[in-house]
Amino acid sequence: MSRYTEVIVLARRAEEVMEPLTRPSDSRDWHQCFTRVDDYMFAGLRPPSEECYAWVVQFIRHNWRGLLNHLESLAWPDPHSVQVLVRDEDDDCFGLWMIYDGKLVEVTLPRTEREPFSASVTGVLSRTDRRAGEAL
């Protein structure tokens, strides 16, 4: 069964921490797959910022199990700036994880609910303000 999940990591001054996760790998493992995106790539007006970066990746299948625990364990220079956005193919929107008391936990978003789903690592995040049958 083929599934996809998109993950975005936002963090200040985290280039060194995330660098090992950006190296190419022959394995189909999550350990080395992120692509860095910075403000230069979006605006094209000035050199990249050293302050804040984003890293993005799309996973096929469930090969990203353990990623959230691994990200939680990293030595972030500014843990309060770390935000991890996850959207599984069945989710209505991205879920948000942040570090609180040293743990990466999901932040409850208004008008959403997450339900367990065996085909997903995180379950399914649904918008509760959509009417039944309304397209995304």
Side-chain angles (χ1 to χ4, degrees):
M1 180 164 101
S2 182
R3 293 191 65 77
Y4 68 87
T5 301
E6 300 154 336
V7 178
I8 301 170
V9 176
L10 305 168
R12 289 189 185 110
R13 297 180 296 281
E15 180 73 15
E16 187 175 315
V17 172
M18 286 296 293
E19 193 279 330
L21 296 176
T22 65
R23 294 186 205 137
S25 173
D26 291 334
S27 73
R28 302 246 183 244
D29 199 10
W30 57 261
H31 290 278
Q32 299 165 329
C33 53
F34 280 87
T35 299
R36 189 186 85 191
V37 178
D38 56 44
D39 55 340
Y40 181 73
M41 295 175 81
F42 287 111
L45 302 175
R46 57 191 162 104
S49 168
E50 293 183 17
E51 179 66 16
C52 189
Y53 287 103
W55 292 265
V56 299
V57 66
Q58 183 179 58
F59 296 99
I60 305 298
R61 302 197 195 330
H62 295 123
N63 60 345
W64 67 281
R65 288 188 190 278
L67 176 64
L68 294 174
N69 289 335
H70 179 73
L71 292 173
E72 174 184 285
S73 74
L74 297 176
W76 299 100
D78 184 358
H80 293 96
S81 74
V82 176
Q83 298 176 56
V84 180
L85 303 163
V86 177
R87 190 183 78 77
D88 188 76
E89 71 179 63
D90 293 315
D91 291 343
D92 285 343
C93 60
F94 278 88
L96 170 64
W97 277 257
M98 296 174 70
I99 296 177
Y100 291 108
D101 300 323
K103 299 288 182 192
L104 195 58
V105 296
E106 187 170 15
V107 176
T108 303
L109 300 175
R111 299 181 183 190
T112 65
E113 65 182 9
R114 184 169 298 282
E115 296 181 20
F117 181 50
S118 62
S120 171
V121 172
T122 56
V124 175
L125 183 62
S126 300
R127 298 267 316 242
T128 60
D129 59 345
R130 271 193 323 140
R131 287 173 275 204
E134 185 177 40
L136 293 176

